[in-house]
Amino acid sequence: MRRDGVLLLGGAGFIGNALARRLQRDKRPVHILGRQQQAQLEQVLPQCGTVVHLACSTTPGVSASNPNLELGNLTLTLRLLDLLKSRPDTHLIFFSSGGTVYGNPQSLPVTEDSPLAPLSHHGASKASQEFFCGALRARGHAVTILRPSNAYGPGQTVKSGFGLVRTVLEHARLGTEMEIWGDGESVRDFIHVDDVAEACARLVSLPDDSGTYNLGSGKGHSVNEVLRIVESVGRREVKKTYRPARTVDVRNIVLDISRLETRLSWAPRIPLEEGVQGSWEWLLGQP
């Protein structure tokens, strides 16, 4: 049986859709399973040489007051790892979270060797899943761990408490008021979804890879900077109200992406201003 297929677990979402499009350019068979289709894993895995695990049902805000919401994410990952134990020739690429697993790092940009110190239940869940993936890696399996920053771009849906760029764009479009937790000077690393897809597609072409990589732009922008960029692109002011900062939110995070740049001969292509412009144009064309 041919095993050149790529399984995107949780692949019907924003990043999964972009990655599927990119892999199809390489003529790779792409199989997409959602979180509720775990029963089909055993049928699909024999056709796939690579599994990209994108599935996640929470955000830092969603599980902040209820850590039990992270159990579904852990259960799915453990189920997948159990199935992969008997498939040592299957490459696993796990999407962790570069924006949450480091907490508030002592220095920026943060490297992959920095301690994992998540502040949120979501970040703790991602970190624990990394350790479980590492246990499979220790058995000799090829396991790549990606720690992406804040992905954005055309095709992203609005999700409460998640996706700053998309949220600001939506408020700009509707003229509604946006709540900002803190003073707006918190810094984040934003990466266009097409740059994420390109990097991941290149890793799919490295079936023996077992590295851990930050995946971001390597540049930081504050929440207030994002607001100003959206206001400039949309030529309108975004209404906003500042609220007290939340303890689950990281203050500043910028990823050191030099390891991935070296491994893949890759670099992010789309600067934030250009990406926001494209996202705004896409949004204006939506119903």
Side-chain angles (χ1 to χ4, degrees), residues 68-240:
N68 288 327
L69 293 176
E70 296 294 341
L71 289 174
N73 295 322
L74 288 164
T75 299
L76 176 57
T77 296
L78 293 175
R79 168 67 172 152
L80 175 62
L81 295 177
D82 187 53
L83 291 172
L84 291 178
K85 283 193 303 185
S86 60
R87 299 190 173 280
D89 55 346
T90 299
H91 180 202
L92 172 62
I93 300 175
F94 172 67
F95 268 69
S96 182
S97 170
T100 63
V101 296
Y102 296 114
N104 288 315
Q106 294 183 352
S107 61
L108 295 175
V110 62
T111 70
E112 294 88 349
D113 296 325
S114 300
L116 301 187
L119 303 179
S120 64
H121 298 137
H122 174 80
S125 172
K126 285 292 190 180
S128 64
Q129 289 172 77
E130 282 197 26
F131 283 116
F132 281 115
C133 288
L136 183 69
R137 180 192 281 168
R139 293 169 173 254
H141 293 244
V143 179
T144 300
I145 295 172
L146 282 178
R147 296 172 179 165
S149 62
N150 295 269
Y152 72 96
Q156 188 174 23
T157 57
V158 177
K159 187 184 295 185
S160 178
F162 189 74
L164 176 66
V165 171
R166 180 64 177 85
T167 299
V168 178
L169 287 169
E170 186 71 5
H171 284 291
R173 181 173 76 99
L174 298 177
T176 49
E177 188 172 75
M178 179 176 176
E179 282 189 329
I180 298 169
W181 302 101
D183 59 7
E185 289 304 305
S186 295
V187 172
R188 297 288 182 269
D189 185 319
F190 300 94
I191 183 168
H192 195 279
V193 69
D194 288 348
D195 286 328
V196 174
E198 178 62 32
C200 191
R202 295 191 188 193
L203 283 166
V204 169
S205 299
L206 299 174
D208 297 322
D209 184 81
S210 275
T212 297
Y213 307 100
N214 288 333
L215 174 54
S217 67
K219 299 178 180 179
H221 296 273
S222 72
V223 174
N224 288 331
E225 282 183 87
V226 173
L227 284 162
R228 287 192 290 269
I229 291 171
V230 170
E231 289 175 336
S232 174
V233 166
R235 299 181 180 179
R236 64 192 73 186
E237 183 179 357
V238 177
K239 300 175 184 177
K240 44 197 167 293

